Amino acid sequence: MRFSRVASSWRLHTVLFLLLAEFMTSSIAIGLEQSVYQAENQNILRVLLAVSSLPPTEPAHTPSSDSPPSATPTYTTMEANVLRDLHCALSIMQDHYFAVWLGKWTTAIDWTAAVMGTYVSATLSSLSRSIDYTIPGTCDKNRKLDAEAQMVEEEINRYFAQTVAYYFGEDHFAIRMQAFDDILWVVLGWLEATQFIENHSGSHYAPAGLGQQNGEGAQDWHASQFIPAFAHRARIFYELAEKGWDWNLCGGGMTWNPRLLPYKNAITNQLFISASISMYLHFPGDENCSPFLSQYDKSKPHKNELYDECDENSRGRFDPLYLANAVNGYQWLQSSGMTNELGLYADGFHIAGYRTNHSKTTCDERNEMVYTYNQGVILSGLRGLWEATGKILYLEDGHELIRNVIRATGWTDAKLFPMPAFTTPQRHQKRDSEKYNPANWSGLGSAGILTEVCDPSGRCSQNGQTFKGIFFHHLTAFCERLPARPVRPGKTHAASRETAMLHQKSCDEYTGWVVHNARAALQTRDENGRFGAWWGAPYSSHNSKESIQAPVLPDGAVDSRKSIDYEHIQTRATGDLNDRGRGRTVETQGSGLAVVRAMYEFLRRAEGDLDFDL
Ligand SMILES: *[C@@H]1O[C@H](CO)[C@@H](O)[C@H](O)[C@H]1NC(C)=O
Ligand SMILES: *[C@@H]1O[C@H](CO)[C@@H](O)[C@H](O)[C@H]1NC(C)=O
Ligand SMILES: CC(=O)N[C@H]1CO[C@H](CO)[C@@H](O)[C@@H]1O
């Protein structure tokens, strides 16, 4: 353990990092010397504004450099502009792709819709935390909400209403018959929604008796009435997914799809780990025994067995079974040998010869395909596993994976400090610097931009268009501050001061890379503010299809996630590279939203850390 030494040089590391990250430079000035906006000293702003520019026909979405947002004194200017990009990304996704009357994103498929719903809730959490206010109680005549707080509250209510519409629009009967990964996205989505509601209600609505005379007018946020419904759906889908765990084949792990030859893959297992630990930490409990309730007949002396089962085994928050599932899941995943020589998760394992010999049980046929989302979902799981167990190992593994991902986008080691903070020895040997030239494909992108293999050629399917946003969503969750006090003593853990700072310091180091990716994504927006799929497109010096080198798949890679769309091969050789193939979709918009939200959360935290008192 070298915590104390590292902790003492923490501020130096932070400052060095900030000096290295070119577009972060001015934020040192913001954080250390100035607390107010100074137009001539906002390089970061200019950079962000330059990429944010939209035509003046869209005044609501036009960040303008000559009007410092003095009307928003609660934010630093940098925050305000990034925040505006976040508002726009969300409103365009919802206004353009969501049909309120159907309660769904009409062009999404079931699993991508579950992911879009997750982003909406997560973004509303960010907006909720972006400003402090307390809604006056109905009898509180002395206080009025200021205009800015009213706007945020109104916006949150508006998009929350769409979340409710989607609760009814989601085709949950169809998803029950789909693969286990499809089922698990649903669990994560509704847990995100219940957390958002609890958090927003707790932060902005005075609890009974506080701030109100005799508790009169005290109220929860109205959305709290949906918590049982959302929790119920999370439980139903979690219990369906649990059936996918199997100890017989490959010594454990989740099966992808019960209707196909056994395939134990990264995404299903990572989702199971993240969903299990999220159920442990956040599931509000569920008193609704449906679908069994209807079979319970109170008039009968002997209770119906099914009802009894539900009754007695019903689990709530901090149920040890959820924790055990997550721990077992990660133990298996880690020992399965699913990471490749770059330290990235390959796609999964088949059992050689299983088709003709069902006695075979060894996972020995690895699919070398590397997808961005397979590096992401596990991160929120690792963060939760740390909180539930207090074991540093989970955080270390997460940071190591993130660093491997960042390097695999061609972001050079010089911009990323080694991991002095954490005790795990580097498991992967030093890489040939020529081979990892930023201009070249480095395994998960080039020029520091996270890229799906299908992106440069414009051939991403609906699946492939969704993956990158998922990575950033879970990266953001991983890098949330660690709690200084346990949320529930005896059930969850708090971080020591040193651990909290080391985690934060490491996360601060990723900020430059996150901002780089968000800026790249912002540059792909069309005249309507819609994000494109390939964030590297504006950086590409090539503009004809012939000159774009599609990354070569690794040996032994099969596109089992069907990320490549062979039907919509690119049609336009020149012009906007993101018009090729499926073009701009709700999935590309969702991915843009997720990376912009990541930028907002990383910048907000990094700025707070500069004032972090040591
Ligand atoms: C089937 O697989 C098992 C386990 O690997 C092996 O022991 C057995 O000999 C195989 N049977 C045939 C017919 O190949
Ligand atoms: C990859 O990098 C090498 C040198 O590091 C360079 O010569 C080559 O042009 C690069 N390839 C691309 C496609 O940029
Ligand atoms: C009331 C409540 O739960 N507030 C939490 C909302 O989320 C932030 C950040 O995760 C916490 O710091 C608050 O305590």
Side-chain angles (χ1 to χ4, degrees):
M1 295 286 213
R2 293 195 279 155
F3 279 160
S4 52
R5 188 187 67 74
V6 174
S8 60
S9 60
W10 172 83
R11 187 181 281 275
L12 180 64
H13 277 293
T14 305
V15 171
L16 279 174
F17 160 71
L18 290 171
L19 284 167
L20 280 165
E22 73 270 32
F23 38 76
M24 289 287 293
T25 12
S26 68
S27 76
I28 293 176
I30 299 172
L32 297 182
E33 284 160 37
Q34 306 152 347
S35 52
V36 289
Y37 173 74
Q38 293 195 350
E40 66 279 10
N41 221 340
Q42 302 288 318
N43 295 333
I44 180 156
L45 270 182
R46 294 217 188 83
V47 175
L48 292 170
L49 288 167
V51 304
S52 301
S53 308
L54 285 168
T57 47
E58 295 270 324
H61 303 135
T62 308
S64 138
S65 52
D66 45 35
S67 59
S70 50
T72 56
T74 351
Y75 313 124
T76 67
T77 312
M78 177 178 76
E79 257 188 322
N81 286 288
V82 176
L83 193 54
R84 185 157 31 189
D85 285 333
L86 184 62
H87 282 281
C88 292
L90 175 64
S91 72
I92 289 166
M93 179 162 112
Q94 295 305 95
D95 299 352
H96 201 96
Y97 299 103
F98 191 80
V100 173
W101 71 290
L102 295 169
K104 56 172 71 169
W105 298 270
T106 51
T107 53
I109 46 180
D110 291 324
W111 87 267
T112 65
V115 172
M116 299 306 123
T118 312
Y119 294 161
V120 172
S121 295
T123 305
L124 295 184
S125 288
S126 291
L127 298 183
S128 171
R129 286 187 301 209
S130 71
I131 172 171
D132 274 339
Y133 57 90
T134 304
I135 300 285
T138 41
C139 303
D140 193 343
K141 298 239 161 48
N142 302 322
R143 248 164 25 83
K144 288 207 182 91
L145 205 56
D146 74 50
E148 192 189 345
Q150 266 177 36
M151 270 169 49
V152 171
E153 188 64 19
E154 155 87 15
E155 186 176 6
I156 285 173
N157 275 288
R158 170 183 176 156
Y159 295 119
F160 178 74
Q162 299 185 358
T163 297
V164 172
Y166 174 60
Y167 175 78
F168 295 104
E170 180 171 53
D171 193 350
H172 53 109
F173 283 105
I175 302 172
R176 281 173 210 215
M177 302 304 294
Q178 295 171 8
F180 291 119
D181 55 346
D182 299 293
I183 289 172
L184 285 161
W185 298 112
V186 176
V187 178
L188 289 187
W190 295 111
L191 289 178
E192 187 81 43
T194 60
Q195 284 173 72
F196 157 63
I197 297 169
E198 285 178 1
N199 209 312
H200 185 67
S201 189
S203 308
H204 301 291
Y205 289 76
L210 272 184
Q212 261 107 30
Q213 287 169 359
N214 309 323
E216 270 179 59
Q219 53 191 347
D220 275 345
W221 183 35
H222 66 81
S224 303
Q225 69 192 311
F226 286 99
I227 288 179
F230 296 176
H232 180 63
R233 187 162 297 165
R235 175 180 72 82
I236 295 292
F237 278 78
Y238 184 82
E239 287 173 4
L240 284 170
E242 256 179 332
K243 297 183 170 61
W245 182 270
D246 144 63
W247 289 107
N248 178 38
L249 302 177
C250 312
M254 288 283 288
T255 305
W256 170 41
N257 188 329
R259 288 166 288 278
L260 301 177
L261 275 178
Y263 187 47
K264 299 228 166 164
N265 60 1
I267 197 58
T268 312
N269 281 281
Q270 295 189 5
L271 278 165
F272 184 62
I273 295 160
S274 287
S276 296
I277 205 64
S278 205
M279 288 292 280
Y280 178 79
L281 294 171
H282 306 296
F283 174 53
D286 180 21
E287 315 231 293
N288 178 353
C289 278
S290 171
F292 307 124
L293 190 61
S294 59
Q295 298 173 37
Y296 173 46
D297 184 350
K298 277 187 182 146
S299 65
K300 297 229 170 92
H302 300 291
K303 282 190 193 169
N304 180 297
E305 269 181 24
L306 285 174
Y307 183 83
D308 280 350
E309 183 188 21
C310 162
D311 202 15
E312 284 165 18
N313 294 345
S314 82
R315 299 178 227 161
R317 196 170 295 196
F318 308 123
D319 192 292
L321 203 64
Y322 296 133
L323 177 56
N325 282 348
V327 169
N328 288 337
Y330 188 63
Q331 209 162 33
W332 178 80
L333 184 66
Q334 214 188 9
S335 62
S336 69
M338 219 180 283
T339 47
N340 68 15
E341 72 282 1
L342 298 180
L344 302 174
Y345 279 95
D347 192 56
F349 280 107
H350 282 293
I351 297 170
Y354 185 86
R355 192 187 295 273
T356 51
N357 183 351
H358 280 27
S359 307
K360 299 203 162 172
T361 57
T362 314
C363 269
D364 49 4
E365 215 174 72
R366 192 169 84 181
N367 178 357
E368 297 300 327
M369 193 75 189
V370 175
Y371 298 103
T372 60
Y373 78 156
N374 279 344
Q375 326 307 324
V377 172
I378 191 61
L379 295 175
S380 61
L382 290 167
R383 169 69 168 69
L385 275 165
W386 166 80
E387 186 160 356
T389 64
K391 292 193 178 134
I392 296 282
L393 167 87
Y394 295 118
L395 294 178
E396 289 175 339
D397 284 1
H399 284 290
E400 190 179 347
L401 176 60
I402 293 165
R403 283 156 191 272
N404 293 339
V405 169
I406 293 177
R407 282 190 206 103
T409 64
W411 192 253
T412 57
D413 279 359
K415 292 180 183 165
L416 199 62
F417 285 103
M419 282 173 55
F422 295 95
T423 50
T424 316
Q426 289 288 317
R427 287 173 203 159
H428 308 286
Q429 72 269 49
K430 196 95 187 117
R431 297 172 184 83
D432 165 15
S433 58
E434 186 70 282
K435 195 168 144 209
Y436 291 88
N437 183 303
N440 287 295
W441 182 255
S442 300
L444 266 182
S446 49
I449 299 169
L450 190 69
T451 309
E452 215 60 56
V453 161
C454 54
D455 273 329
S457 54
R459 292 183 304 164
C460 286
S461 70
Q462 202 149 8
N463 298 332
Q465 287 190 335
T466 313
F467 294 167
K468 295 192 297 292
I470 291 168
F471 176 84
F472 279 101
H473 174 82
H474 291 270
L475 172 67
T476 307
F478 180 81
C479 276
E480 291 240 329
R481 276 184 201 285
L482 303 182
R485 254 169 266 124
V487 172
R488 176 68 66 90
K491 304 288 185 192
T492 70
H493 289 255
S496 69
R497 198 174 173 72
E498 288 76 17
T499 304
M501 283 196 310
L502 289 170
H503 178 69
Q504 231 40 81
K505 177 191 145 301
S506 280
C507 285
D508 286 349
E509 284 179 16
Y510 314 145
T511 305
W513 179 80
V514 170
V515 172
H516 178 64
N517 275 269
R519 285 176 56 213
L522 284 163
Q523 286 204 38
T524 68
R525 292 180 301 177
D526 67 5
E527 66 280 4
N528 296 313
R530 292 180 303 158
F531 286 83
W534 179 28
W535 301 340
Y539 290 77
S540 170
S541 53
H542 318 290
N543 61 2
S544 73
K545 97 175 167 186
E546 285 73 28
S547 58
I548 293 169
Q549 298 286 314
V552 183
L553 300 197
D555 282 346
V558 178
D559 182 26
S560 73
R561 315 286 74 227
K562 296 190 170 58
S563 71
I564 302 174
D565 182 348
Y566 292 99
E567 282 169 23
H568 296 86
I569 300 301
Q570 91 99 43
T571 48
R572 287 167 62 173
T574 55
D576 188 335
L577 292 168
N578 275 314
D579 282 343
R580 297 172 302 159
R582 299 187 75 248
R584 289 172 170 80
T585 63
V586 63
E587 287 85 9
T588 65
Q589 187 67 25
S591 293
L593 173 62
V595 72
V596 170
R597 173 171 175 265
M599 167 165 71
Y600 172 71
E601 293 289 346
F602 271 78
L603 285 175
R604 209 171 68 100
R605 201 194 38 249
E607 191 164 88
D609 285 352
L610 287 172
D611 304 328
F612 206 18
D613 182 31
L614 296 169

